[in-house]
Every structure is written in structure tokens, then in C-alpha cells.
Amino acid sequence: MNRMNDNHLKPSQVAELLNVSHRTLSRWHALRVGPSRVKVGRTILYRKTAVDAWLAANETQPTRNFSND
């Protein structure tokens, strides 16, 4: 069981990591805009790799360069 805990996060852990509420995660799931999740029975889990991939996919680059070159 520890192996699963090493690879998965609970919604409360993901919410804390992303600095959003548990309700926001639920809304994102309903809108299909948040990280992928797995439901086992009544337990919702997020794979750490899915959260990392979602963060990478939503990374933005600055649109403007502020250097004085």
C-alpha cells in the first residue's frame, strides 16, 4: 500500500500543492481542465506524474522581453 501512496496524491494534497481549494479541483474535473484523476471506489487519487504533466502543459512563457538591449 505504501507504493500507491508514493505515486499518488489525495485531493487535499493536490489542492495544497496548487494553492487552490478542494472545490476548485472538483470544478476543474467537471470542466475537464484540471489534472487527470483516478477514482477507486469512493476514493479519488491523483497520480503525481499526471499533476506534473498538467503543470508542464499549462506553463507559460513571458510574452514580452523587458531587457534594455
Side-chain angles (χ1 to χ4, degrees), residues 8-68:
H8 293 82
L9 298 168
K10 294 180 181 180
S12 59
Q13 294 171 305
V14 176
E16 184 177 339
L17 176 71
L18 300 177
N19 198 30
V20 298
S21 69
H22 184 275
R23 178 75 177 120
T24 296
L25 284 179
S26 296
R27 278 193 217 110
W28 286 352
H29 176 71
L31 296 170
R32 304 294 191 248
V33 297
S36 300
R37 69 183 197 177
V38 177
K39 191 168 185 182
V40 181
R42 296 170 79 182
T43 303
I44 296 171
L45 298 170
Y46 292 85
R47 285 184 299 120
K48 287 182 181 180
T49 55
V51 174
D52 290 340
W54 181 80
L55 286 170
N58 287 284
E59 187 174 292
T60 61
Q61 296 295 320
T63 57
R64 192 168 171 178
N65 186 354
F66 290 103
S67 67
N68 291 328

